[in-house]
């Protein structure tokens, strides 16, 4: 189900709690909402739809991916960039990102995975993990 986007910075600044197997409906709603905003959005975190759970969804190649409880366990190649966010008003904000990240996460079936991401996809994931940690860009 497509959900309304949250713009309350106090809510968005709260740290998400770990997701579990009972949160599949939140993951499904997050994916539906991301797809509905596909023209101007490449990633979302669950707090953007009002659920303070550590779940992110993002575009990868021509598909979508969900991660529960994502955690960056390795990063390299720092660079400065600017990003915008559907949940925040105003223009792009400066931030530091990494060209390559290794992420430990769980699938919707709660299977643990570790995968390396680079470039644009790595940047999207970092932005959404920041959301889970209450960091607003």
């Amino acid at each position: 189900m497509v959900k309304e986007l949250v713009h309350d910075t106090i809510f968005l600044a709260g740290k998400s709690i770990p997701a579990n197997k009972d949160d599949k409906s939140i993951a499904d709603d997050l994916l539906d909402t991301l797809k509905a905003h596909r023209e101007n959005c490449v990633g979302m975190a669950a707090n953007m739809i009002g659920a303070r759970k550590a779940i992110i969804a993002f575009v990868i190649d021509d598909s979508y991916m969900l991660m529960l409880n994502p955690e960056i366990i390795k990063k390299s190649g720092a660079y400065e960039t600017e990003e915008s966010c559907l949940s925040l008003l105003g223009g792009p904000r400066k931030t530091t990102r990494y060209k390559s990240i290794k992420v430990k996460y769980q699938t919707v079936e709660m299977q643990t995975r570790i995968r390396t991401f680079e470039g644009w996809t790595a940047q999207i994931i970092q932005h959404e993990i920041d959301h889970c940690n209450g960091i607003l860009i």
Side-chain angles (χ1 to χ4, degrees), residues 25-42:
S25 65
I26 295 171
D28 291 342
D29 291 346
L30 184 61
L31 198 54
D32 289 345
T33 306
L34 175 58
K35 289 176 180 178
H37 291 274
R38 179 63 171 106
E39 283 189 26
N40 56 357
C41 185
V42 292

Side-chain angles (χ1 to χ4, degrees), residues 94-111:
K94 292 182 180 186
T95 188
T96 300
R97 294 292 180 218
Y98 296 86
K99 293 177 185 175
S100 178
I101 59 172
K102 184 180 281 191
V103 183
K104 180 179 179 182
Y105 65 96
Q106 293 172 308
T107 65
V108 184
E109 295 81 22
M110 301 309 293
Q111 296 172 333

Side-chain angles (χ1 to χ4, degrees), residues 63-118:
S63 189
Y64 295 92
M65 186 168 184
L66 283 164
M67 289 182 176
L68 281 64
N69 307 314
E71 174 188 359
I72 297 171
I73 57 175
K74 186 176 181 183
K75 54 191 174 187
S76 64
Y79 65 97
E80 298 297 316
T81 189
E82 290 186 349
E83 296 176 352
S84 295
C85 181
L86 273 183
S87 287
L88 301 176
L89 300 175
R93 295 166 176 86
K94 292 182 180 186
T95 188
T96 300
R97 294 292 180 218
Y98 296 86
K99 293 177 185 175
S100 178
I101 59 172
K102 184 180 281 191
V103 183
K104 180 179 179 182
Y105 65 96
Q106 293 172 308
T107 65
V108 184
E109 295 81 22
M110 301 309 293
Q111 296 172 333
T112 300
R113 300 277 191 263
I114 296 176
R115 184 170 166 186
T116 300
F117 298 89
E118 297 183 346

Side-chain angles (χ1 to χ4, degrees), residues 6-70:
V6 172
H7 300 284
D8 179 349
T9 55
I10 294 172
F11 179 83
L12 293 170
K15 188 171 171 132
S16 297
I17 61 173
N20 60 53
K21 63 182 168 115
D22 297 327
D23 295 322
K24 184 176 179 337
S25 65
I26 295 171
D28 291 342
D29 291 346
L30 184 61
L31 198 54
D32 289 345
T33 306
L34 175 58
K35 289 176 180 178
H37 291 274
R38 179 63 171 106
E39 283 189 26
N40 56 357
C41 185
V42 292
M44 288 188 168
N47 63 354
M48 294 174 67
I49 60 166
R52 197 169 277 153
K53 291 287 190 157
I55 304 171
I56 66 172
F58 56 93
V59 175
I60 181 167
D61 300 321
D62 290 325
S63 189
Y64 295 92
M65 186 168 184
L66 283 164
M67 289 182 176
L68 281 64
N69 307 314

